[in-house]
Amino acid sequence: MTRTVFRNAEVVFHDGVRTASVVVENGRILDVDGGSNVQADEVIDCAGLHLMPGVIDDQVHFREPGLTHKEDLATASHACAAGGVTSFLEMPNTKPPAVTVEGVRAKDAIAAQKSLVNYGFYIGATPDNVAELNAAKDVPGIKIFIGSSTGNLLVDQQEALERIFAETTLPICAHCEDETTVRANAARLAGTSDITDHSRIRDENAAVIATRRATELARRHQHRFHVLHVSTAAELPLLVDGSPFVTAEICLHHIFFNVDDYPRLGSRIQMNPSIKTKSDNDGLWNALLDGTIQVIATDHAPHTLEEKSKPYPESPSGLPAVENSLALMLDRVVTGRCTINQVASWMCDAPARVWDIVGKGRIEAGYDADLVLVDLQKQRTICDEEQHTKTRWSPWHGSTLTGWPVATYVGGHRVWSDEAGFDESFRGAKLKFDHSRGGYWNTMGGIGPAE
């Protein structure tokens, strides 16, 4: 057993920030405010730094297996560690897609060999795999593509959706864009090479129709449902009726970029759902502040710059974000737009509770010691060539931010620091999910440690 003390940190607890010492033993938080005389194998002086729970990114596309020229679980988890992300939940649209228990287990096995941080993998829904969805017991949930996918991962027929919501028990999340609307808009704009038309093809109506459809299914079947990457303020009224079954998230590109940025950034901000307007940026930000939206994620989905530079519409949708997500939000803390407690809620505590991830998301005795030291004085400019993601670019290239992670700990083990770099000998662990905890609305006191 090893014991580490983080001394003199400004510790970000769920209910405030205060100077404290955090004692970590054998991968878990043993005590907080553990006095100055605590004996330890290692004492880390954190004066001038904040100690946060590790970020949990609940929506990433890490491309392995099948698309590893874009990213793989080694490069992606390095990017996570450098960005303060200690756990990720990865989507099923790899090649082959993870639509069976066997397919999910294959990804678990790869991650066990390659990932520096903790991991979990969704199982993907198809029109006819309910038996597999019910056989998957130790996954975060089910992912449905209601639009924006091809082959058997596209599930937009009402009969199939009804069956999934009625006959399964795992929490469900979905990409909500109405396929009929998208295809009609694409036909109307056929032949376009204007990147700004991407937001006309994948417009506000496509998002609203699909989100309304999915949230209605969730409420009618009383089935927990998480709306991924809300992109427009027009979706917000669908999320505010107080239902205990619905939660939602935004991704950073939908609050940092809008259609006015296409001339400057082009396909670097081509995403599904598409970037919307400045008014939508503001509406989504306010929805975070007032609690209508609970989670921030990235939808990290890298493509090579060669692929992204193809003329629209041959250019693929997706962008890398995991290694800059926390810094982007810390910069907003420094500029007074939110508090560091709110950031910890949106990026650490809320995703743990939405997906019932045991022992994660807070700094409390008994929780796992997934921790991030951050320096709110540190200033750095994001540069393509310094990115750890395999594609080596960022849509925020050239942005100077104040507030950065300086060391990341997984299970009490330092996997990365500004000074020492990466510990290539360490591997993260498969996340534990206990869906009997009941999700976000039933865990206001936190998801809790392992029993």
Side-chain angles (χ1 to χ4, degrees):
M1 296 176 68
T2 59
R3 179 177 291 181
T4 302
V5 176
F6 295 84
R7 188 158 287 161
N8 302 319
E10 296 299 305
V11 180
V12 183
F13 297 103
H14 74 278
D15 57 353
V17 178
R18 68 178 186 273
T19 304
S21 293
V22 176
V23 182
V24 171
E25 186 174 271
N26 206 29
R28 289 194 179 179
I29 298 170
L30 181 67
D31 193 15
V32 295
D33 290 325
S36 59
N37 296 322
V38 172
Q39 297 298 307
D41 301 287
E42 181 182 19
V43 176
I44 301 171
D45 185 4
C46 305
L49 303 176
H50 284 71
L51 186 67
M52 289 182 59
V55 171
I56 301 168
D57 194 332
D58 80 350
Q59 187 185 183
V60 300
H61 302 265
F62 284 170
R63 306 303 194 195
E64 189 168 10
L67 295 164
T68 54
H69 70 284
K70 303 173 190 280
E71 190 78 280
D72 60 53
L73 290 173
T75 57
S77 66
H78 280 67
C80 285
V85 177
T86 55
S87 300
F88 66 81
L89 304 182
E90 208 254 359
M91 290 299 169
N93 56 329
T94 44
K95 290 186 177 181
V99 296
T100 64
V101 173
E102 182 181 3
V104 175
R105 295 294 163 267
K107 293 171 78 169
D108 285 337
I110 297 169
Q113 295 296 315
K114 289 189 171 184
S115 183
L116 285 181
V117 300
N118 303 318
Y119 51 88
F121 298 97
Y122 296 94
I123 187 168
T126 75
D128 54 8
N129 75 333
V130 164
E132 289 288 341
L133 301 181
N134 282 325
K137 301 299 183 185
D138 55 349
V139 299
I142 297 165
K143 168 67 180 291
I144 306 177
F145 288 88
I146 308 177
S148 193
S149 193
T150 57
N152 65 349
L153 277 174
L154 177 61
V155 184
D156 65 344
Q157 296 300 311
Q158 190 67 21
E159 180 182 357
L161 289 169
E162 294 279 358
R163 189 164 57 249
I164 293 166
F165 274 87
E167 298 179 16
T168 67
T169 59
L170 287 170
I172 295 172
C173 61
H175 181 122
C176 293
E177 284 185 293
D178 182 62
E179 191 71 9
T180 299
T181 301
V182 170
R183 289 179 181 178
N185 288 339
R188 179 171 52 83
L189 293 167
T192 183
S193 59
D194 183 353
I195 186 68
T196 63
D197 281 334
H198 189 69
S199 292
R200 299 183 182 99
I201 292 170
R202 296 184 173 276
D203 65 4
E204 175 184 282
N205 288 334
V208 169
I209 291 168
T211 299
R212 180 183 295 115
R213 184 185 190 188
T215 53
E216 189 276 331
L217 281 161
R219 290 166 181 134
R220 180 156 47 80
H221 290 286
Q222 298 190 357
H223 197 128
R224 282 167 53 192
F225 177 69
H226 187 63
V227 185
L228 298 171
H229 44 45
V230 177
S231 64
T232 170
E235 292 171 87
L236 298 176
L238 303 172
L239 309 175
V240 294
D241 70 349
S243 168
F245 303 105
V246 175
T247 51
E249 75 185 34
I250 58 93
C251 293
L252 295 168
H253 45 272
H254 287 129
I255 57 173
F256 279 88
F257 301 124
N258 58 66
V259 292
D260 296 334
D261 294 310
Y262 277 127
R264 178 172 61 93
L265 293 169
S267 62
R268 283 197 177 209
I269 56 169
Q270 180 186 331
M271 287 294 300
N272 300 337
S274 68
I275 302 301
K276 302 299 195 300
T277 68
K278 176 63 166 63
S279 178
D280 290 304
N281 295 157
D282 296 339
L284 296 176
W285 179 250
N286 289 332
L288 274 171
L289 295 175
D290 69 19
T292 301
I293 291 176
Q294 295 79 34
V295 174
I296 290 176
T298 65
D299 199 9
H300 177 96
H303 302 280
T304 67
L305 279 176
E306 181 181 5
E307 292 167 334
K308 291 292 276 186
S309 65
K310 292 179 180 178
Y312 185 79
E314 295 176 39
S315 50
S317 294
L319 57 80
V322 290
E323 61 198 286
N324 300 310
S325 59
L326 178 56
L328 286 161
M329 294 308 302
L330 293 176
D331 188 76
R332 289 204 163 187
V333 172
V334 172
T335 56
R337 299 196 62 187
C338 60
T339 69
I340 197 167
N341 278 101
Q342 288 173 311
V343 172
S345 174
W346 299 326
M347 302 183 79
C348 312
D349 182 54
R353 288 163 52 199
V354 167
W355 300 110
D356 308 303
I357 309 174
V358 177
K360 306 296 185 185
R362 293 190 179 189
I363 296 178
E364 288 185 14
Y367 277 65
D368 295 336
D370 295 345
L371 304 166
V372 183
L373 275 172
V374 302
D375 183 349
L376 292 182
Q377 305 301 315
K378 183 179 178 64
Q379 190 174 86
R380 194 183 119 207
T381 301
I382 299 172
C383 298
D384 284 350
E385 59 272 18
E386 296 177 0
Q387 301 301 289
H388 296 287
T389 183
K390 185 178 282 190
T391 55
R392 302 294 295 272
W393 66 272
S394 168
W396 288 279
H397 171 73
S399 298
T400 299
L401 307 177
T402 303
W404 285 88
V406 294
T408 302
Y409 297 81
V410 176
H413 188 98
R414 188 181 68 193
V415 296
W416 169 85
S417 74
D418 248 357
E419 293 183 354
F422 298 99
D423 182 347
E424 302 291 354
S425 70
F426 185 82
R427 293 296 177 265
K430 182 176 178 178
L431 295 166
K432 297 177 181 178
F433 306 96
D434 179 1
H435 295 306
S436 70
R437 307 284 177 113
Y440 182 84
W441 299 112
N442 289 309
T443 52
M444 301 308 285
I447 193 62
E451 298 296 342

